[in-house]
Amino acid sequence: MALTAMWGSAFLFTKIAVAALPMATIVTARLGIAALILVPLALALVVRLPHGRRLWLYFLLIAFVGNLLPFSLITWGQRAIDSGLAGILMAVMPLVTLALAHLFVPGERLNAYRVGGFLFGFAGVVVLIGPEALLTIGGEQGALLPMVAVLGGALCYGVSSILARLRPASDALSSAAAVTLLAALMSLPAGVDAGAVELSALSLPVIGALLFLGVLSTALAMIVYFRLIQSAGPSFTSQLNYLIPLWAVLIGVVFLGEQPTLVHLLGLGLILGGILLTRREPRRLPTPTVRPRRPE
């Protein structure tokens, strides 16, 4: 529930930040703040730091696919769409994880329920995007590309969850510190290229939004995420995305005055219905009991 609150609230604070700062600046600040917290903690508390080229290769991939790329895509997309809609679009992440797990994770095979759930979820995304976004593409109010960007972020998170599952064993704190540090270093060139930020843009709400994103939605959330992956597994962790859309919509309505439309609710219902369907397991027929024949 804590991770749901930290991730679900990130859409609200990202929406506040993008109104005043460039996308690259927000991503670099978010990752930089998290790295400044996690790296000293790992150096002070972890007895044995991560080592091995294979493990650090996984860290590098997770840093890019699970942090830098989705943060950039979602932040860019939220310039044009509401935080609630961004949260709803992120609900496709468990469906992406489901398909990828079928290909790469032993024992995670697709069945009829999972395929049906995937199709329901895909239908929900189609409803959310809708013909209006297609008609307005290229226009000032075009929302198709921002929605596709947020969906790309969901795809990245799905890939990242599989990488986190397959990585060599490592503790949660050092994993979070290593991944965040690598992502922060990769974000620096774009952040520096974005140029200096005017002091007038750094209002108290913007500073508070950056601190929330860096401290809670990234630093603390990364520790909890790797801990859950280690203790409960990626299947359980991906279920958090069932609640994140509802949380994001509620936060957007209460604090930003956003009004979800009937289309948004219909799309959310299809996506959550599809996820619910994927959780069902096919019924196993009882094995018939064969009685030994009596000798005549």
Side-chain angles (χ1 to χ4, degrees):
M1 291 301 296
L3 192 55
T4 297
M6 288 186 287
W7 277 352
S9 302
F11 298 100
L12 164 68
F13 292 99
T14 299
K15 191 67 177 179
I16 295 174
V18 295
L21 299 174
M23 176 269 293
T25 302
I26 297 170
V27 174
T28 301
R30 175 178 182 176
L31 291 169
I33 292 170
L36 289 175
I37 294 172
L38 291 175
V39 172
L41 278 178
L43 292 174
L45 300 178
V46 175
V47 176
R48 186 181 182 186
L49 295 175
H51 65 282
R53 287 181 295 180
R54 185 166 178 266
L55 177 59
W56 277 93
L57 176 61
Y58 271 90
F59 285 160
L60 184 63
L61 292 173
I62 296 171
F64 180 73
V65 178
N67 288 262
L68 180 61
L69 191 55
F71 288 177
S72 301
L73 290 170
I74 295 169
T75 302
W76 183 85
Q78 280 200 250
R79 298 185 309 170
I81 63 176
D82 290 342
S83 61
L85 177 56
I88 293 173
L89 290 169
M90 287 301 299
V92 304
M93 183 267 191
L95 302 175
V96 173
T97 305
L98 180 70
L100 293 173
H102 171 76
L103 297 174
F104 299 105
V105 179
E108 296 285 344
R109 307 297 296 175
L110 288 174
N111 55 43
Y113 287 123
R114 292 179 177 181
V115 172
F118 184 87
L119 294 177
F120 262 89
F122 182 78
V125 173
V126 172
V127 168
L128 285 176
I129 293 178
E132 294 180 1
L134 294 174
L135 292 175
T136 56
I137 183 171
E140 218 172 81
Q141 301 298 324
L144 177 61
L145 290 180
M147 285 193 286
V148 171
V150 175
L151 287 173
L155 174 62
C156 290
Y157 283 134
V159 174
S160 177
S161 68
I162 300 300
L163 291 172
R165 164 73 177 269
L166 298 176
R167 84 184 195 283
S170 59
D171 68 279
L173 177 56
S174 63
S175 298
V179 167
T180 307
L181 176 61
L182 291 172
L185 292 175
M186 286 188 286
S187 73
L188 273 178
V192 172
D193 186 61
V197 177
E198 295 184 5
L199 293 179
S200 59
L202 294 177
S203 61
L204 286 179
V206 173
I207 294 174
L210 292 177
L211 288 175
F212 185 94
L213 290 171
V215 177
L216 295 177
S217 294
T218 306
L220 183 57
M222 285 289 288
I223 298 175
V224 178
Y225 169 74
F226 277 109
R227 179 60 182 167
L228 281 177
I229 288 286
Q230 179 182 346
S231 61
S235 296
F236 175 83
T237 306
S238 68
Q239 295 179 31
L240 296 173
N241 288 272
Y242 306 171
L243 301 176
I244 286 176
L246 301 176
W247 185 272
V249 170
L250 178 63
I251 291 292
V253 169
V254 173
F255 292 100
L256 294 179
E258 298 174 355
Q259 298 296 327
T261 66
L262 182 60
V263 172
H264 293 167
L265 298 179
L266 177 59
L268 176 62
L270 286 171
I271 292 173
L272 294 181
I275 293 172
L276 178 63
L277 188 58
T278 64
R279 303 306 302 166
R280 297 196 62 181
E281 294 294 336
R283 296 180 60 183
R284 297 181 179 180
L285 296 176
T287 304
T289 304
V290 180
R291 296 182 178 179
R293 294 179 62 184
R294 293 181 180 180
E296 295 180 357

